[in-house]
Amino acid sequence: MKKTAIGVILVFALALGLSLFYLMGGFNDIEVNQENLGQIELSGVHFQGTPMDESLKNAFLTIEDLTKENKGAKLHTIYFQEPAGKRDTMEVFVGIESKWTKNQENLIYLEFDGSAAIVAEIKSHRFVMPGPEKVKDEIREFAKNNQMEEPDLFIDQIIDSDLVRVIGIKNNTNP
């Protein structure tokens, strides 16, 4: 009797977990396509340090404020070096499209050729979104299957809390 009750509870918990995962978009495919994005012009803040550093938080707050001021502006991040832990060094650029920052003098400017971009679109809740390496691998696989140059720079474009575009391009500049 006890084994049956435990079995029913386990099956119910598993079904509930899978249902939540499904409802949050955990089974959604990563949509990958080639797009001509033209020149990608971004303005923002470059940060190098640890994830616990207050200036990283301030960089995100500065850019998030600009996105709120400009309807249609999207937050972009470029991780040049991702941290393995809370105390490891990271290097990230946090920015938005330069067209929204014409009067900002304290931001740095980056420009990339997006004419042969490979774009992965992920539609799912952030708790069940695939990890960055899985998305990068999907982009690399798309490039390989379509005889395209493999991207070595990935720009995350946060459109909404449950919609992210990862733009893979060949970096021909040194930021």
Side-chain angles (χ1 to χ4, degrees), residues 91-109:
E91 184 179 0
V92 64
F93 171 83
V94 183
I96 63 174
E97 300 95 342
S98 294
K99 66 182 178 182
W100 305 111
T101 61
K102 296 298 181 197
N103 298 327
Q104 301 289 327
E105 295 178 9
N106 55 339
L107 302 177
I108 64 168
Y109 177 80

Side-chain angles (χ1 to χ4, degrees), residues 5-18:
I6 291 173
V8 169
I9 291 170
L10 286 175
V11 168
F12 177 76
L14 181 63
L16 180 64
L18 287 172

Side-chain angles (χ1 to χ4, degrees), residues 20-116:
L20 281 172
F21 191 74
Y22 172 78
L23 291 171
M24 296 172 82
F27 293 112
N28 292 354
D29 289 333
I30 300 170
E31 297 176 25
V32 183
N33 294 299
Q34 186 204 0
E35 291 185 31
N36 180 351
L37 301 176
Q39 285 300 112
I40 301 171
E41 299 173 346
L42 302 173
S43 295
V45 179
H46 182 264
F47 169 80
Q48 188 168 5
T50 63
M52 303 300 287
D53 195 327
E54 190 70 22
S55 58
L56 175 63
K57 178 183 171 185
N58 293 337
F60 273 96
L61 290 174
T62 298
I63 301 305
E64 285 173 356
D65 287 345
L66 285 172
T67 60
K68 289 174 186 172
E69 291 173 14
N70 299 288
K71 187 177 179 160
K74 308 286 186 262
L75 178 76
H76 291 72
T77 57
I78 304 171
Y79 286 88
F80 297 104
Q81 179 182 357
E82 294 196 40
K86 292 180 181 180
R87 299 186 193 276
D88 292 330
T89 300
M90 67 181 294
E91 184 179 0
V92 64
F93 171 83
V94 183
I96 63 174
E97 300 95 342
S98 294
K99 66 182 178 182
W100 305 111
T101 61
K102 296 298 181 197
N103 298 327
Q104 301 289 327
E105 295 178 9
N106 55 339
L107 302 177
I108 64 168
Y109 177 80
L110 298 178
E111 186 174 357
F112 302 102
D113 177 13
S115 61

Side-chain angles (χ1 to χ4, degrees), residues 105-173:
E105 295 178 9
N106 55 339
L107 302 177
I108 64 168
Y109 177 80
L110 298 178
E111 186 174 357
F112 302 102
D113 177 13
S115 61
I118 301 173
V119 180
E121 195 166 283
I122 304 104
K123 296 177 188 174
S124 62
H125 191 278
R126 64 185 175 108
F127 290 136
V128 297
M129 237 177 228
E133 284 308 311
K134 181 176 181 178
V135 176
K136 289 176 186 177
D137 288 344
E138 290 278 333
I139 291 172
R140 289 182 188 112
E141 186 69 24
F142 182 89
K144 181 180 174 185
N145 291 341
N146 291 282
Q147 292 79 40
M148 297 175 66
E149 206 171 4
E150 185 176 307
D152 59 3
L153 182 77
F154 300 91
I155 304 169
D156 299 336
Q157 183 183 50
I158 292 75
I159 297 174
D160 203 349
S161 63
D162 61 351
L163 180 58
V164 175
R165 286 170 39 109
V166 179
I167 303 164
I169 58 172
K170 191 72 178 163
N171 185 11
N172 295 323
T173 61

